[in-house]
Amino acid sequence: MQYSKGNPVQGNDAQDELDLLSILHQLLAKKWFILGCVLVFATFAFLYAQIARNEYTASSVVQIEKRASNIALPSELIGELLTGGDQESELQTEFHVIKSRLTLGEVVRELDLNVTVTPVGPPFIQDFFYRYSYLLQSFDFLDAIVEQLPKSYAFTDESIELADFENLSIAETLDLVVTVEGEGDYAISYKDPITGASEQVRGEAGVELLIDGIARLTVQEVRGRRGAQFELTSVPVRFAAARLAKNLNISERGGRSGTGIVDFSVTSFDPDASISIVNAVVREYQRQSLNRRSAEVDQSIGFIEEQLPVAEANLQSALGAFNAYIDTSGAYASLSATTQDVLARIVDLETKLEEIGFQKSQLATQVTESHPDFQRLIAQEQEFEQRLSSLRGELDSVPETEQQLAQLTKNVQAARELKEQLLLRLDQLRIVKASAVGTIRVLETAEDAFLSGPNRMKPIGIAIALAVVFACCVILFKNALKAGIEDEREIEKLGLSVFATIPIVEGLRKSDASDKNYTLAITQPENLAIESLRALRTGLHFSLAANNTKAIAITSPAPNEGKSFISLNLAIIAAQAGSKVLLVDTDLRRGELHKPFGLSRKTRGLSNFLASGGDPRDFVHHSDRFDLDFIPTGGYPPNPSELLSTKNFQALISASEKDYDLIIFDCAPILAVTDPAIVAGSGIPSFLVVSHLRTSIEEIEASAKSLENVNAAFSGVILNSYDQNSSRYGAYSTKYGYYRGGYRYQYGRK
């Protein structure tokens, strides 16, 4: 037959769909591998989930009222400019303030959250061991295990309570180890920060212990057996505040509706600690909020208290000057009504200017001088000064004595009114401060904590997903590295016929003809590979009879494809069926079929006959074990191709067909040498042995092309070493319409 390359019939869309099905079937073929990965990953995730510490969450509900940007002082004090409409403070800004070190740092200091005490246990699972160590003490048969554990491990009923701690070391982070010495006694081990030497001091519960240059602490209570240890760690406040900020959750109810109802929640490993922490955070925020609200009033009070002594001194000075002038001149009674009216208006304007000056000082703390409100005050001040200057000009027309008396009178009135105004302002500000309330109102305090984590199912779910992805990637990656043919359909697409598919033989070294399983038809006649060869023998019987020939040539694209194994066992099976069989080792370069027959490589054989001629029967060796005749290679000749091209080879074929029912020529690999092409060119039907998942499509095409070039009678392909477990599609080759489950069927001898 002539070789012709097949053409694909699917379009792009069909091919895309086919690839998706291919991937699905590849994964289904390795479902047990995927399941195994899932079980392994899920097991480790389950153990990790159990090791994780329990988390407890306590919450408090707070109302944060809307507040203006400053305290609304009475209009009599600062006018309408500073008592405008309230400006809404963004809650998100407040949330950042709450989570800042300014707030949380005080909470850390109040509750000593920067100091932690951890029981010593096995590495990585200290908390898990501490939580469940009571189980080891609950059963007598576990006493032997408990005895083997280090004495430093602390059990569930063992603990120490720390009443006070102060870090005196130059190091920000301090690590100490507290060891129980007895009832109420303990020892602290540490490293000297200067020398690095290990030191130890002993203390008593309830008594303050001072470690020079290291720490000052008081252990309130010690419970535990002798030798149990606890790790005491002190970190900077800023580290503890940052850690607390991560565990603090603040959220407003109602979303965008702006209800002002805020939930504070804190998650901790200790339920009691969660309750105390969340309540402390709310208290500290309340305190700071109230302090911020009264800060503006405090600033105004301080300013007025600074001005009061100055105003009192000015008043006394003005009174002294006025009384001295009256005593010397006695001119007060001559002050006219017009002059008194002008004088009153001057005092009123000066009082207003003083008021504007106070308002400017208050507004300067809130805005810049370019602000419209500030500019309006400046305009009013300029207007009053112009009017004041005009009134002062009117006094210039009165007598000099009256002018001087008017000036002294004005000074006394202005000084007295300024002092009274300052005292009034001071009283009003103190009333505002006393009546000021914070914008924070606690609706619900934290009273209990609930178990909030960890989610022990989440790691398992994530692990299962990762296991599936990992297993799928491994399967597809390994399959992508398999460049060899998958099954018969890939060969048939090339326009070639597949005569047989031979399952893989476990443990067989195909490159070693001395392997005991090389003669599988004798050692394991019930093997599935032998059953497949029997099917091949049956097919050859009818095919050769139809073509009126008895000889076949078996080759392969490359070495170690199993052609010699198939040739030998096919010959044995044919002989067992009653046929008279001749097996010829035609691989004159590396043939090793003499080994199963117990012959030496130098035994006279084919090369000797081709070189010298004679009667072919003289070179035939009969095997009683296999019940067939065999012609070995003989000595390896230097010119095998030339010898196979002689007339003696044709004479061998003609003579053998008269004496035998089946002649099998085991040839060299066709892509390696030209010898198989010469044998096939003699008109002998040729078969190409290819290896599953090893021989590539390109190698098959090149081999078929080589046989086509010599007009060989290329009959078809034998797929060898088919491994269902290594196949991309396993038992189901749905991609090609084959089901491989039949390869699991075997029978045994009775």
Side-chain angles (χ1 to χ4, degrees), residues 64 67 89-99 250 285 289 292 440:
I64 302 180
R67 62 182 296 269
S89 178
E90 294 290 340
L91 280 181
Q92 290 299 324
T93 302
E94 292 298 311
F95 294 168
H96 287 295
V97 172
I98 297 170
K99 288 192 172 185
I250 310 173
Y285 178 54
S289 176
R292 292 201 312 271
I440 311 302

mmCIF file of all heavy atoms in Angstrom, residues 64 67 89-99 250 285 289 292 440:
data_model
loop_
_atom_site.group_PDB
_atom_site.id
_atom_site.type_symbol
_atom_site.label_atom_id
_atom_site.label_comp_id
_atom_site.label_asym_id
_atom_site.label_seq_id
_atom_site.Cartn_x
_atom_site.Cartn_y
_atom_site.Cartn_z
ATOM 1 N N ILE A 64 -22.246 58.907 68.100
ATOM 2 C CA ILE A 64 -21.345 60.043 67.880
ATOM 3 C C ILE A 64 -22.175 61.158 67.253
ATOM 4 O O ILE A 64 -22.592 61.065 66.102
ATOM 5 C CB ILE A 64 -20.155 59.665 66.977
ATOM 6 C CG1 ILE A 64 -19.366 58.510 67.601
ATOM 7 C CG2 ILE A 64 -19.252 60.860 66.759
ATOM 8 C CD1 ILE A 64 -18.176 58.071 66.775
ATOM 9 N N ARG A 67 -21.087 67.581 65.379
ATOM 10 C CA ARG A 67 -20.571 68.704 66.158
ATOM 11 C C ARG A 67 -20.029 69.776 65.242
ATOM 12 O O ARG A 67 -19.618 69.498 64.111
ATOM 13 C CB ARG A 67 -19.463 68.245 67.111
ATOM 14 C CG ARG A 67 -18.257 67.663 66.437
ATOM 15 C CD ARG A 67 -17.213 67.191 67.437
ATOM 16 N NE ARG A 67 -16.671 68.276 68.205
ATOM 17 C CZ ARG A 67 -15.590 68.960 67.848
ATOM 18 N NH1 ARG A 67 -14.963 68.685 66.720
ATOM 19 N NH2 ARG A 67 -15.138 69.940 68.612
ATOM 20 N N SER A 89 -18.768 67.024 60.979
ATOM 21 C CA SER A 89 -17.472 66.335 61.024
ATOM 22 C C SER A 89 -17.620 64.933 60.458
ATOM 23 O O SER A 89 -18.494 64.174 60.861
ATOM 24 C CB SER A 89 -16.970 66.259 62.466
ATOM 25 O OG SER A 89 -15.758 65.563 62.511
ATOM 26 N N GLU A 90 -16.786 64.612 59.511
ATOM 27 C CA GLU A 90 -16.859 63.303 58.872
ATOM 28 C C GLU A 90 -16.512 62.204 59.876
ATOM 29 O O GLU A 90 -15.491 62.274 60.570
ATOM 30 C CB GLU A 90 -15.894 63.236 57.688
ATOM 31 C CG GLU A 90 -16.248 64.150 56.540
ATOM 32 C CD GLU A 90 -17.501 63.687 55.823
ATOM 33 O OE1 GLU A 90 -17.850 62.497 55.969
ATOM 34 O OE2 GLU A 90 -18.129 64.497 55.134
ATOM 35 N N LEU A 91 -17.389 61.187 59.933
ATOM 36 C CA LEU A 91 -17.136 60.081 60.861
ATOM 37 C C LEU A 91 -15.865 59.322 60.506
ATOM 38 O O LEU A 91 -15.173 58.801 61.385
ATOM 39 C CB LEU A 91 -18.334 59.127 60.867
ATOM 40 C CG LEU A 91 -19.532 59.566 61.715
ATOM 41 C CD1 LEU A 91 -20.634 58.524 61.650
ATOM 42 C CD2 LEU A 91 -19.123 59.798 63.150
ATOM 43 N N GLN A 92 -15.568 59.251 59.201
ATOM 44 C CA GLN A 92 -14.351 58.535 58.815
ATOM 45 C C GLN A 92 -13.120 59.199 59.416
ATOM 46 O O GLN A 92 -12.166 58.528 59.802
ATOM 47 C CB GLN A 92 -14.236 58.488 57.285
ATOM 48 C CG GLN A 92 -15.261 57.603 56.608
ATOM 49 C CD GLN A 92 -15.144 56.161 57.063
ATOM 50 O OE1 GLN A 92 -14.048 55.648 57.311
ATOM 51 N NE2 GLN A 92 -16.279 55.485 57.178
ATOM 52 N N THR A 93 -13.150 60.523 59.500
ATOM 53 C CA THR A 93 -12.034 61.227 60.148
ATOM 54 C C THR A 93 -11.958 60.857 61.617
ATOM 55 O O THR A 93 -10.872 60.623 62.173
ATOM 56 C CB THR A 93 -12.213 62.739 59.992
ATOM 57 O OG1 THR A 93 -12.294 63.064 58.604
ATOM 58 C CG2 THR A 93 -11.047 63.490 60.616
ATOM 59 N N GLU A 94 -13.116 60.774 62.254
ATOM 60 C CA GLU A 94 -13.143 60.380 63.659
ATOM 61 C C GLU A 94 -12.625 58.959 63.844
ATOM 62 O O GLU A 94 -11.931 58.662 64.825
ATOM 63 C CB GLU A 94 -14.572 60.491 64.200
ATOM 64 C CG GLU A 94 -15.092 61.913 64.300
ATOM 65 C CD GLU A 94 -14.270 62.751 65.267
ATOM 66 O OE1 GLU A 94 -14.022 62.297 66.399
ATOM 67 O OE2 GLU A 94 -13.853 63.863 64.884
ATOM 68 N N PHE A 95 -12.946 58.079 62.900
ATOM 69 C CA PHE A 95 -12.472 56.694 62.997
ATOM 70 C C PHE A 95 -10.951 56.648 62.965
ATOM 71 O O PHE A 95 -10.320 55.865 63.690
ATOM 72 C CB PHE A 95 -13.049 55.849 61.866
ATOM 73 C CG PHE A 95 -14.549 55.671 61.945
ATOM 74 C CD1 PHE A 95 -15.261 55.147 60.883
ATOM 75 C CD2 PHE A 95 -15.234 56.027 63.093
ATOM 76 C CE1 PHE A 95 -16.637 54.982 60.955
ATOM 77 C CE2 PHE A 95 -16.608 55.863 63.181
ATOM 78 C CZ PHE A 95 -17.312 55.340 62.109
ATOM 79 N N HIS A 96 -10.344 57.472 62.123
ATOM 80 C CA HIS A 96 -8.881 57.512 62.067
ATOM 81 C C HIS A 96 -8.301 58.056 63.367
ATOM 82 O O HIS A 96 -7.240 57.613 63.814
ATOM 83 C CB HIS A 96 -8.427 58.368 60.886
ATOM 84 C CG HIS A 96 -8.626 57.717 59.549
ATOM 85 N ND1 HIS A 96 -7.958 56.580 59.162
ATOM 86 C CD2 HIS A 96 -9.438 58.037 58.508
ATOM 87 C CE1 HIS A 96 -8.335 56.222 57.950
ATOM 88 N NE2 HIS A 96 -9.237 57.082 57.528
ATOM 89 N N VAL A 97 -9.006 59.029 63.952
ATOM 90 C CA VAL A 97 -8.540 59.566 65.237
ATOM 91 C C VAL A 97 -8.584 58.485 66.308
ATOM 92 O O VAL A 97 -7.662 58.343 67.118
ATOM 93 C CB VAL A 97 -9.409 60.775 65.645
ATOM 94 C CG1 VAL A 97 -9.076 61.220 67.064
ATOM 95 C CG2 VAL A 97 -9.198 61.926 64.667
ATOM 96 N N ILE A 98 -9.662 57.701 66.303
ATOM 97 C CA ILE A 98 -9.804 56.640 67.307
ATOM 98 C C ILE A 98 -8.690 55.609 67.157
ATOM 99 O O ILE A 98 -8.146 55.120 68.155
ATOM 100 C CB ILE A 98 -11.181 55.970 67.168
ATOM 101 C CG1 ILE A 98 -12.290 56.983 67.446
ATOM 102 C CG2 ILE A 98 -11.303 54.785 68.123
ATOM 103 C CD1 ILE A 98 -13.669 56.478 67.106
ATOM 104 N N LYS A 99 -8.332 55.275 65.913
ATOM 105 C CA LYS A 99 -7.316 54.247 65.679
ATOM 106 C C LYS A 99 -5.894 54.794 65.731
ATOM 107 O O LYS A 99 -4.943 54.048 65.479
ATOM 108 C CB LYS A 99 -7.556 53.574 64.324
ATOM 109 C CG LYS A 99 -8.767 52.653 64.303
ATOM 110 C CD LYS A 99 -8.774 51.798 63.049
ATOM 111 C CE LYS A 99 -9.861 50.745 63.123
ATOM 112 N NZ LYS A 99 -9.827 49.806 61.981
ATOM 113 N N ILE A 250 -14.355 49.448 63.607
ATOM 114 C CA ILE A 250 -15.315 50.522 63.853
ATOM 115 C C ILE A 250 -16.168 50.683 62.602
ATOM 116 O O ILE A 250 -15.637 50.845 61.501
ATOM 117 C CB ILE A 250 -14.604 51.852 64.179
ATOM 118 C CG1 ILE A 250 -13.550 51.646 65.272
ATOM 119 C CG2 ILE A 250 -15.597 52.911 64.588
ATOM 120 C CD1 ILE A 250 -12.702 52.866 65.520
ATOM 121 N N TYR A 285 -11.774 57.597 74.120
ATOM 122 C CA TYR A 285 -12.271 58.462 73.045
ATOM 123 C C TYR A 285 -13.233 59.511 73.606
ATOM 124 O O TYR A 285 -13.230 60.677 73.170
ATOM 125 C CB TYR A 285 -12.950 57.618 71.973
ATOM 126 C CG TYR A 285 -13.529 58.439 70.845
ATOM 127 C CD1 TYR A 285 -12.743 59.354 70.151
ATOM 128 C CD2 TYR A 285 -14.866 58.311 70.487
ATOM 129 C CE1 TYR A 285 -13.270 60.117 69.127
ATOM 130 C CE2 TYR A 285 -15.402 59.071 69.451
ATOM 131 C CZ TYR A 285 -14.602 59.974 68.777
ATOM 132 O OH TYR A 285 -15.132 60.726 67.763
ATOM 133 N N SER A 289 -12.500 63.448 73.308
ATOM 134 C CA SER A 289 -13.493 64.251 72.596
ATOM 135 C C SER A 289 -13.929 65.443 73.436
ATOM 136 O O SER A 289 -14.063 66.570 72.942
ATOM 137 C CB SER A 289 -14.704 63.384 72.236
ATOM 138 O OG SER A 289 -15.722 64.158 71.627
ATOM 139 N N ARG A 292 -11.127 68.024 73.553
ATOM 140 C CA ARG A 292 -11.046 68.803 72.323
ATOM 141 C C ARG A 292 -12.167 69.846 72.278
ATOM 142 O O ARG A 292 -11.973 70.964 71.797
ATOM 143 C CB ARG A 292 -11.152 67.894 71.097
ATOM 144 C CG ARG A 292 -9.976 66.968 70.892
ATOM 145 C CD ARG A 292 -9.878 66.483 69.453
ATOM 146 N NE ARG A 292 -11.150 66.004 68.934
ATOM 147 C CZ ARG A 292 -11.589 64.760 69.032
ATOM 148 N NH1 ARG A 292 -10.845 63.862 69.670
ATOM 149 N NH2 ARG A 292 -12.749 64.404 68.509
ATOM 150 N N ILE A 440 -19.981 62.153 72.497
ATOM 151 C CA ILE A 440 -19.987 60.688 72.514
ATOM 152 C C ILE A 440 -20.939 60.218 73.608
ATOM 153 O O ILE A 440 -20.814 60.620 74.772
ATOM 154 C CB ILE A 440 -18.575 60.124 72.785
ATOM 155 C CG1 ILE A 440 -17.550 60.784 71.865
ATOM 156 C CG2 ILE A 440 -18.573 58.618 72.609
ATOM 157 C CD1 ILE A 440 -17.842 60.613 70.399
#
